[in-house]
Amino acid sequence: MTMLLKMMNPKRTIEIGVYTGYSLLATAISTPPDAKITAIDPVRSWYEIGLPFIIKAGIEDKIDFIQSQALPILDNLLLVRKEGSFDFAFVDADKQNYGNYHERLMKLVKVGGVMVYDNTLWGGTVAKHDGDVPDEKKEGKALAAEFNRRIAADGRVEICLLPLGDGITICRRIS
């Protein structure tokens, strides 16, 4: 992701689901000095785990952390910002809302901008028959598979699903 960010040189990014801040740190390090990152997560204590590393890297001023569920914040951003205000988005949050996040990001991310969704292979289960998937992974498999079908059919984006880690889907907004 850092190489992609360095090639894009985005000034305004948004991250939905921060957890311990690893991807947030990578984004902040890989963007220009004047870049701004809106980071949304409902659990501040997770963000605070990575905060010492963000401070040590001297990039805390780039980050606007918002402790909240993402959908209300995205809805508010749609009201107060013009369409296409972000260059890049990274999503690693509640999988049941990936489709909702995608629809909002399609308005917030500019044409030519990029959205990256994490965990889109769900441990490889999306390629397995249901009978071969442990019960505890079936719901996640179904959510990931439905999201993958949805964005594969979305003519507003070009997509690339990379089999790295738990699956990363890169979407470039084309309309």
Side-chain angles (χ1 to χ4, degrees), residues 61-107:
D61 291 342
K62 286 183 167 186
I63 300 165
D64 175 21
F65 177 79
I66 301 169
Q67 181 181 352
S68 175
Q69 296 295 326
L71 289 175
I73 300 301
L74 295 174
D75 289 339
N76 185 56
L77 288 172
L78 287 168
L79 294 173
V80 299
R81 294 195 184 209
K82 64 179 185 160
E83 185 170 326
S85 0
F86 290 96
D87 305 307
F88 178 83
F90 179 73
V91 181
D92 185 8
D94 53 317
K95 308 314 176 222
Q96 67 269 22
N97 275 312
Y98 267 33
N100 293 321
Y101 298 146
H102 182 70
E103 287 308 312
R104 286 156 177 86
L105 290 172
M106 284 300 298
K107 295 174 184 156

Side-chain angles (χ1 to χ4, degrees), residues 15 17 19-21 25 29 32 55 62 81 83 103 119 123-124 130 138-139 142 148 160 162 169:
E15 183 161 329
Y19 193 46
T20 59
L25 176 65
I29 288 172
I55 292 169
K62 286 183 167 186
R81 294 195 184 209
E83 185 170 326
E103 287 308 312
N119 309 117
D130 279 342
K138 285 185 178 177
E139 181 183 5
N148 291 338
C160 174
L162 299 173
T169 299

Side-chain angles (χ1 to χ4, degrees), residues 7-24:
M7 290 182 339
M8 289 180 61
N9 203 35
K11 300 285 184 162
R12 299 216 36 94
T13 72
I14 186 165
E15 183 161 329
I16 301 169
V18 173
Y19 193 46
T20 59
Y22 178 77
S23 58
L24 181 59

Side-chain angles (χ1 to χ4, degrees), residues 8 86-89 109-115 171-174:
M8 289 180 61
F86 290 96
D87 305 307
F88 178 83
V109 173
K110 71 180 184 179
V111 172
V114 172
M115 295 157 281
C171 300
R172 186 174 75 89
R173 183 176 171 203
I174 57 174

